[in-house]
Amino acid sequence: MNFDFSILISNPLINVGVVSWMVAQLLKTIIHLFTKGEFKRERLAGAGGMPSSHSAVTCSVLLLSYLLYGFDSPIFAMAFILALIVMYDATGVRWAAGLHAKAINYIVEYLADKNAKDKAQLNEMIPKLNESLGHRMIEVVCGAALGFAIALIAYFCF
């Protein structure tokens, strides 16, 4: 019994989503390198930053589902709703969570400086939190534009 590996690349919506995510993460890493002057491997898969890979993925699937199946299709409807939810979450809940993480990290550092004994206890109780969970609106818009561009390229070239 042989596995047909062509099935892994047979769905254009999955393909465009995966490619959009990879391109967005690569761009995010390159932008971080040029703006911060350091290569951070975590940017290749991490959340937050410019452009939003979540927006890129959902918008590439959204546009390609429209181009392939039309406005009235259930596939397009699901992709549309999913894109709205993901982009709302990225600019709302996840952005706020990033601000909270930043504040908590500051409090932990402040408290840790007062007493060496407390520092060890705080480090055990509260690990360093990720401060880059969400996106600013411009990051979401750029991710969406990237997703649309990749969907158009996929539709017209393949």
Side-chain angles (χ1 to χ4, degrees):
M1 179 179 205
N2 292 331
F3 181 75
D4 182 10
F5 285 97
S6 67
I7 195 167
L8 297 176
I9 59 170
S10 64
N11 188 316
L13 295 177
I14 293 172
N15 296 343
V16 76
V18 170
V19 169
S20 294
W21 178 81
M22 291 189 321
V23 171
Q25 291 301 125
L26 184 61
L27 285 173
K28 193 180 294 193
T29 305
I30 292 168
I31 290 169
H32 182 85
L33 175 65
F34 284 109
T35 59
K36 306 288 185 191
E38 65 174 338
F39 173 76
K40 246 185 146 173
R41 199 169 83 191
E42 299 84 43
R43 293 284 59 198
L44 289 170
M50 169 70 91
S52 165
S53 56
H54 291 82
S55 297
V57 168
T58 56
C59 287
S60 67
V61 172
L62 170 69
L63 183 58
L64 192 58
S65 68
Y66 169 75
L67 294 171
L68 293 176
Y69 307 111
F71 184 81
D72 294 334
S73 75
I75 294 170
F76 173 75
M78 289 298 296
F80 180 81
I81 298 302
L82 178 66
L84 288 179
I85 292 168
V86 167
M87 289 188 288
Y88 173 80
D89 180 68
T91 57
V93 177
R94 288 178 56 239
W95 181 255
L99 295 177
H100 293 151
K102 192 172 195 171
I104 292 169
N105 286 338
Y106 176 80
I107 292 167
V108 169
E109 289 173 13
Y110 174 79
L111 293 173
D113 283 343
K114 287 194 160 207
N115 186 335
K117 181 181 173 191
D118 290 342
K119 182 177 183 179
Q121 185 180 11
L122 282 172
N123 284 337
E124 287 178 28
M125 291 173 45
I126 305 172
K128 185 81 171 168
L129 301 171
N130 181 3
E131 297 176 9
S132 180
L133 296 174
H135 298 284
R136 291 183 300 243
M137 183 59 74
I138 187 66
E139 294 170 343
V140 171
V141 169
C142 288
L146 176 63
F148 286 149
I150 290 172
L152 287 171
I153 291 168
Y155 180 74
F156 290 112
C157 294
F158 303 106

PDB file of all heavy atoms in Angstrom, residues 30-46:
ATOM      1  N   ILE A  30      12.561  39.073   8.372  1.00  0.00           N
ATOM      2  CA  ILE A  30      13.423  40.011   7.662  1.00  0.00           C
ATOM      3  C   ILE A  30      13.205  41.434   8.181  1.00  0.00           C
ATOM      4  O   ILE A  30      14.167  42.179   8.412  1.00  0.00           O
ATOM      5  CB  ILE A  30      13.173  39.929   6.134  1.00  0.00           C
ATOM      6  CG1 ILE A  30      13.667  38.574   5.602  1.00  0.00           C
ATOM      7  CG2 ILE A  30      13.837  41.084   5.407  1.00  0.00           C
ATOM      8  CD1 ILE A  30      13.221  38.257   4.191  1.00  0.00           C
ATOM      9  N   ILE A  31      11.953  41.825   8.376  1.00  0.00           N
ATOM     10  CA  ILE A  31      11.652  43.164   8.896  1.00  0.00           C
ATOM     11  C   ILE A  31      12.253  43.336  10.286  1.00  0.00           C
ATOM     12  O   ILE A  31      12.843  44.373  10.596  1.00  0.00           O
ATOM     13  CB  ILE A  31      10.126  43.417   8.894  1.00  0.00           C
ATOM     14  CG1 ILE A  31       9.639  43.565   7.455  1.00  0.00           C
ATOM     15  CG2 ILE A  31       9.769  44.648   9.727  1.00  0.00           C
ATOM     16  CD1 ILE A  31       8.128  43.562   7.304  1.00  0.00           C
ATOM     17  N   HIS A  32      12.134  42.311  11.131  1.00  0.00           N
ATOM     18  CA  HIS A  32      12.731  42.381  12.464  1.00  0.00           C
ATOM     19  C   HIS A  32      14.249  42.527  12.367  1.00  0.00           C
ATOM     20  O   HIS A  32      14.850  43.307  13.122  1.00  0.00           O
ATOM     21  CB  HIS A  32      12.358  41.136  13.279  1.00  0.00           C
ATOM     22  CG  HIS A  32      12.891  41.175  14.673  1.00  0.00           C
ATOM     23  ND1 HIS A  32      12.223  41.797  15.691  1.00  0.00           N
ATOM     24  CD2 HIS A  32      14.042  40.687  15.210  1.00  0.00           C
ATOM     25  CE1 HIS A  32      12.927  41.688  16.802  1.00  0.00           C
ATOM     26  NE2 HIS A  32      14.032  41.013  16.530  1.00  0.00           N
ATOM     27  N   LEU A  33      14.856  41.800  11.458  1.00  0.00           N
ATOM     28  CA  LEU A  33      16.305  41.873  11.271  1.00  0.00           C
ATOM     29  C   LEU A  33      16.734  43.292  10.915  1.00  0.00           C
ATOM     30  O   LEU A  33      17.685  43.821  11.485  1.00  0.00           O
ATOM     31  CB  LEU A  33      16.743  40.884  10.181  1.00  0.00           C
ATOM     32  CG  LEU A  33      18.220  40.918   9.779  1.00  0.00           C
ATOM     33  CD1 LEU A  33      19.111  40.489  10.938  1.00  0.00           C
ATOM     34  CD2 LEU A  33      18.455  40.021   8.569  1.00  0.00           C
ATOM     35  N   PHE A  34      16.025  43.938   9.989  1.00  0.00           N
ATOM     36  CA  PHE A  34      16.418  45.275   9.555  1.00  0.00           C
ATOM     37  C   PHE A  34      16.034  46.365  10.548  1.00  0.00           C
ATOM     38  O   PHE A  34      16.743  47.359  10.667  1.00  0.00           O
ATOM     39  CB  PHE A  34      15.842  45.582   8.166  1.00  0.00           C
ATOM     40  CG  PHE A  34      16.581  44.880   7.066  1.00  0.00           C
ATOM     41  CD1 PHE A  34      16.001  43.833   6.393  1.00  0.00           C
ATOM     42  CD2 PHE A  34      17.876  45.249   6.717  1.00  0.00           C
ATOM     43  CE1 PHE A  34      16.677  43.156   5.391  1.00  0.00           C
ATOM     44  CE2 PHE A  34      18.567  44.595   5.720  1.00  0.00           C
ATOM     45  CZ  PHE A  34      17.968  43.545   5.052  1.00  0.00           C
ATOM     46  N   THR A  35      14.925  46.206  11.273  1.00  0.00           N
ATOM     47  CA  THR A  35      14.518  47.248  12.213  1.00  0.00           C
ATOM     48  C   THR A  35      15.206  47.133  13.566  1.00  0.00           C
ATOM     49  O   THR A  35      15.470  48.139  14.210  1.00  0.00           O
ATOM     50  CB  THR A  35      12.988  47.255  12.427  1.00  0.00           C
ATOM     51  OG1 THR A  35      12.575  45.987  12.924  1.00  0.00           O
ATOM     52  CG2 THR A  35      12.257  47.586  11.143  1.00  0.00           C
ATOM     53  N   LYS A  36      15.497  45.915  13.998  1.00  0.00           N
ATOM     54  CA  LYS A  36      16.107  45.708  15.324  1.00  0.00           C
ATOM     55  C   LYS A  36      17.593  45.348  15.236  1.00  0.00           C
ATOM     56  O   LYS A  36      18.267  45.304  16.247  1.00  0.00           O
ATOM     57  CB  LYS A  36      15.381  44.593  16.092  1.00  0.00           C
ATOM     58  CG  LYS A  36      13.898  44.786  16.226  1.00  0.00           C
ATOM     59  CD  LYS A  36      13.557  45.888  17.180  1.00  0.00           C
ATOM     60  CE  LYS A  36      12.044  45.919  17.337  1.00  0.00           C
ATOM     61  NZ  LYS A  36      11.560  47.071  18.008  1.00  0.00           N
ATOM     62  N   GLY A  37      18.063  45.047  14.032  1.00  0.00           N
ATOM     63  CA  GLY A  37      19.467  44.718  13.852  1.00  0.00           C
ATOM     64  C   GLY A  37      19.879  43.357  14.389  1.00  0.00           C
ATOM     65  O   GLY A  37      21.054  43.121  14.632  1.00  0.00           O
ATOM     66  N   GLU A  38      18.905  42.466  14.581  1.00  0.00           N
ATOM     67  CA  GLU A  38      19.226  41.131  15.074  1.00  0.00           C
ATOM     68  C   GLU A  38      18.330  40.101  14.403  1.00  0.00           C
ATOM     69  O   GLU A  38      17.168  40.370  14.120  1.00  0.00           O
ATOM     70  CB  GLU A  38      19.059  41.043  16.596  1.00  0.00           C
ATOM     71  CG  GLU A  38      17.630  41.217  17.059  1.00  0.00           C
ATOM     72  CD  GLU A  38      17.433  40.999  18.554  1.00  0.00           C
ATOM     73  OE1 GLU A  38      18.264  40.334  19.186  1.00  0.00           O
ATOM     74  OE2 GLU A  38      16.426  41.483  19.069  1.00  0.00           O
ATOM     75  N   PHE A  39      18.922  38.928  14.156  1.00  0.00           N
ATOM     76  CA  PHE A  39      18.138  37.820  13.621  1.00  0.00           C
ATOM     77  C   PHE A  39      17.549  37.065  14.801  1.00  0.00           C
ATOM     78  O   PHE A  39      18.274  36.637  15.700  1.00  0.00           O
ATOM     79  CB  PHE A  39      19.009  36.878  12.782  1.00  0.00           C
ATOM     80  CG  PHE A  39      18.286  35.640  12.347  1.00  0.00           C
ATOM     81  CD1 PHE A  39      17.367  35.695  11.320  1.00  0.00           C
ATOM     82  CD2 PHE A  39      18.503  34.422  12.985  1.00  0.00           C
ATOM     83  CE1 PHE A  39      16.681  34.559  10.912  1.00  0.00           C
ATOM     84  CE2 PHE A  39      17.829  33.277  12.589  1.00  0.00           C
ATOM     85  CZ  PHE A  39      16.913  33.356  11.552  1.00  0.00           C
ATOM     86  N   LYS A  40      16.238  36.930  14.794  1.00  0.00           N
ATOM     87  CA  LYS A  40      15.552  36.192  15.862  1.00  0.00           C
ATOM     88  C   LYS A  40      14.832  35.026  15.228  1.00  0.00           C
ATOM     89  O   LYS A  40      13.858  35.206  14.512  1.00  0.00           O
ATOM     90  CB  LYS A  40      14.548  37.111  16.563  1.00  0.00           C
ATOM     91  CG  LYS A  40      14.894  37.407  17.975  1.00  0.00           C
ATOM     92  CD  LYS A  40      13.822  38.204  18.631  1.00  0.00           C
ATOM     93  CE  LYS A  40      13.738  37.799  20.067  1.00  0.00           C
ATOM     94  NZ  LYS A  40      12.837  38.615  20.823  1.00  0.00           N
ATOM     95  N   ARG A  41      15.314  33.838  15.488  1.00  0.00           N
ATOM     96  CA  ARG A  41      14.732  32.633  14.893  1.00  0.00           C
ATOM     97  C   ARG A  41      13.271  32.457  15.278  1.00  0.00           C
ATOM     98  O   ARG A  41      12.477  31.925  14.501  1.00  0.00           O
ATOM     99  CB  ARG A  41      15.562  31.421  15.302  1.00  0.00           C
ATOM    100  CG  ARG A  41      15.345  30.239  14.410  1.00  0.00           C
ATOM    101  CD  ARG A  41      16.343  29.173  14.661  1.00  0.00           C
ATOM    102  NE  ARG A  41      15.894  28.386  15.801  1.00  0.00           N
ATOM    103  CZ  ARG A  41      16.623  27.492  16.421  1.00  0.00           C
ATOM    104  NH1 ARG A  41      17.855  27.283  16.045  1.00  0.00           N
ATOM    105  NH2 ARG A  41      16.137  26.815  17.425  1.00  0.00           N
ATOM    106  N   GLU A  42      12.891  32.940  16.461  1.00  0.00           N
ATOM    107  CA  GLU A  42      11.506  32.819  16.924  1.00  0.00           C
ATOM    108  C   GLU A  42      10.530  33.546  15.998  1.00  0.00           C
ATOM    109  O   GLU A  42       9.351  33.206  15.943  1.00  0.00           O
ATOM    110  CB  GLU A  42      11.349  33.388  18.342  1.00  0.00           C
ATOM    111  CG  GLU A  42      12.188  32.699  19.391  1.00  0.00           C
ATOM    112  CD  GLU A  42      13.615  33.238  19.469  1.00  0.00           C
ATOM    113  OE1 GLU A  42      13.824  34.465  19.425  1.00  0.00           O
ATOM    114  OE2 GLU A  42      14.534  32.410  19.556  1.00  0.00           O
ATOM    115  N   ARG A  43      10.997  34.553  15.279  1.00  0.00           N
ATOM    116  CA  ARG A  43      10.139  35.310  14.358  1.00  0.00           C
ATOM    117  C   ARG A  43       9.651  34.430  13.215  1.00  0.00           C
ATOM    118  O   ARG A  43       8.629  34.712  12.613  1.00  0.00           O
ATOM    119  CB  ARG A  43      10.881  36.520  13.772  1.00  0.00           C
ATOM    120  CG  ARG A  43      11.228  37.603  14.751  1.00  0.00           C
ATOM    121  CD  ARG A  43      10.081  38.500  15.176  1.00  0.00           C
ATOM    122  NE  ARG A  43       9.045  37.725  15.789  1.00  0.00           N
ATOM    123  CZ  ARG A  43       7.780  38.091  15.981  1.00  0.00           C
ATOM    124  NH1 ARG A  43       7.382  39.242  15.607  1.00  0.00           N
ATOM    125  NH2 ARG A  43       6.898  37.323  16.540  1.00  0.00           N
ATOM    126  N   LEU A  44      10.382  33.362  12.907  1.00  0.00           N
ATOM    127  CA  LEU A  44       9.982  32.477  11.808  1.00  0.00           C
ATOM    128  C   LEU A  44       8.673  31.741  12.097  1.00  0.00           C
ATOM    129  O   LEU A  44       7.982  31.323  11.176  1.00  0.00           O
ATOM    130  CB  LEU A  44      11.094  31.463  11.505  1.00  0.00           C
ATOM    131  CG  LEU A  44      12.335  32.039  10.841  1.00  0.00           C
ATOM    132  CD1 LEU A  44      13.450  31.004  10.808  1.00  0.00           C
ATOM    133  CD2 LEU A  44      12.010  32.526   9.432  1.00  0.00           C
ATOM    134  N   ALA A  45       8.331  31.598  13.374  1.00  0.00           N
ATOM    135  CA  ALA A  45       7.084  30.904  13.715  1.00  0.00           C
ATOM    136  C   ALA A  45       6.264  31.642  14.767  1.00  0.00           C
ATOM    137  O   ALA A  45       5.160  31.234  15.074  1.00  0.00           O
ATOM    138  CB  ALA A  45       7.390  29.491  14.206  1.00  0.00           C
ATOM    139  N   GLY A  46       6.787  32.724  15.320  1.00  0.00           N
ATOM    140  CA  GLY A  46       6.134  33.409  16.428  1.00  0.00           C
ATOM    141  C   GLY A  46       4.951  34.273  16.015  1.00  0.00           C
ATOM    142  O   GLY A  46       4.795  34.656  14.858  1.00  0.00           O
TER     143      GLY A  46
END
